[in-house]
Amino acid sequence: MHSNSGPKSVWIGFDPRETDAFVVTRTSLIRRLTLPIPVRGLVLSALRQRGLYTRPTSRRDGRLWDDISEAPMATEFAVSRFLVPLLAGHLGWALFMDCDMLVRTNVDRLFRLCDPSKAVMVVKHDHQPTGDTKMDGQVQTRYARKNWSSVMAFNCGHPANKALTVEMVNSLPGRDLHRFCWLKDEEIGELDQSWNYLVGHSNPEIEPDIVHFTDGVPSMAGYEDAEYADEWREVLTRWAA
């Protein structure tokens, strides 16, 4: 049960409005892998078809709205990310990542850093955004442990993660899930800041392993000159060639 062995998988959030971002995250990750780790997209329509995602959502002012949380959803995978241990079969380690990232290393290194006594491994940011919007005009929400859940390595076989049921994921407010309400504090392991480097927020002296364009990817207006934008565009250009 408390083992660092077993299968490994990677799950990347997918949102049809951010296809370029997803392509860069997936391509940059796969091209640095040295082991055959499966990399899958977390697609909301597929999860709904399987009956795994049943949360009621609506549209307000053209934005996706979570009726349970009574709050806007910046992406289609805002809540579905918490289904990853179940999707991975409650075995081994499963890494979830937002789609607005650039992977600059072999993520098997991250798996090797995971503490088998922990239920999840995250970068424990103290991120308090100052702006009111992000990305393409999405509302910038504030909640406890913000951005901890944007890179999560789940210890799928850990007993504490058994509480993360389909029913829980589909019924609790998103803010409770994002603060890891089903876990005790000591069950949340810590990764180095390099594994979720927040562009424009993290200490620029850090050499990132995973760059996170949390405010907006370089293809969005206003973010063309963000840190690591040239590396991001190079991956997208080579993929499209």
Side-chain angles (χ1 to χ4, degrees):
M1 198 63 91
H2 291 282
S3 169
N4 214 3
S5 59
K8 299 176 177 67
S9 58
V10 179
W11 304 78
I12 302 169
F14 177 79
D15 190 302
R17 295 175 303 111
E18 298 182 44
T19 306
D20 282 359
F22 178 85
V23 162
V24 171
T25 303
R26 187 176 185 276
T27 302
S28 63
L29 189 154
I30 288 174
R31 79 190 210 183
R32 293 184 180 275
L33 278 179
T34 54
L35 293 172
I37 297 172
V39 180
R40 301 185 174 100
L42 205 58
V43 183
L44 192 62
S45 57
L47 296 172
R48 282 199 183 279
Q49 283 179 345
R50 292 176 61 184
L52 296 175
Y53 191 90
T54 57
R55 290 177 77 90
T57 53
S58 52
R59 292 240 163 226
R60 297 197 184 180
D61 301 322
R63 293 196 175 97
L64 194 61
W65 184 267
D66 185 331
D67 297 341
I68 292 173
S69 305
E70 276 296 304
M73 299 173 72
T75 64
E76 288 193 357
F77 51 85
V79 174
S80 61
R81 68 188 70 200
F82 298 103
L83 292 168
V84 162
L86 186 148
L87 293 167
H90 295 298
L91 294 169
W93 286 88
L95 174 66
F96 168 81
M97 300 172 60
D98 278 5
C99 70
D100 52 354
M101 298 194 170
L102 172 73
V103 180
R104 305 174 77 231
T105 192
N106 180 356
V107 296
D108 191 53
R109 287 182 51 231
L110 186 155
F111 285 118
R112 290 201 298 271
L113 293 169
C114 290
D115 180 345
S117 72
K118 305 297 185 184
V120 69
M121 301 289 297
V122 298
V123 175
K124 296 183 176 181
H125 293 293
D126 180 20
H127 182 214
Q128 305 295 332
T130 52
D132 294 324
T133 58
K134 63 176 181 177
M135 295 192 295
D136 51 348
Q138 296 297 322
V139 175
Q140 181 69 271
T141 53
R142 294 168 183 81
Y143 50 84
R145 298 175 170 175
K146 185 172 177 67
N147 255 316
W148 287 26
S149 58
S150 53
V151 174
M152 297 183 283
F154 286 102
N155 186 354
C156 299
H158 194 287
N161 284 329
K162 283 191 165 54
L164 201 56
T165 60
V166 171
E167 183 183 21
M168 176 185 274
V169 173
N170 283 293
S171 60
L172 283 189
R175 68 187 79 88
D176 293 344
L177 293 165
H178 284 279
R179 65 178 175 80
F180 302 89
C181 63
W182 74 97
L183 297 177
K184 299 171 185 169
D185 288 355
E186 60 267 25
E187 292 169 334
I188 306 172
E190 185 165 10
L191 293 167
D192 187 84
Q193 298 275 324
S194 69
W195 291 105
N196 192 355
Y197 178 93
L198 305 180
V199 170
H201 303 281
S202 292
N203 182 345
E205 293 179 9
I206 294 169
E207 182 65 28
D209 291 297
I210 296 176
V211 176
H212 184 185
F213 297 92
T214 182
D215 294 330
V217 294
S219 57
M220 294 177 179
Y223 302 102
E224 301 93 339
D225 298 323
E227 298 172 275
Y228 302 98
D230 288 343
E231 278 187 45
W232 187 92
R233 277 189 288 267
E234 184 267 338
V235 175
L236 184 62
T237 303
R238 284 180 61 175
W239 176 84

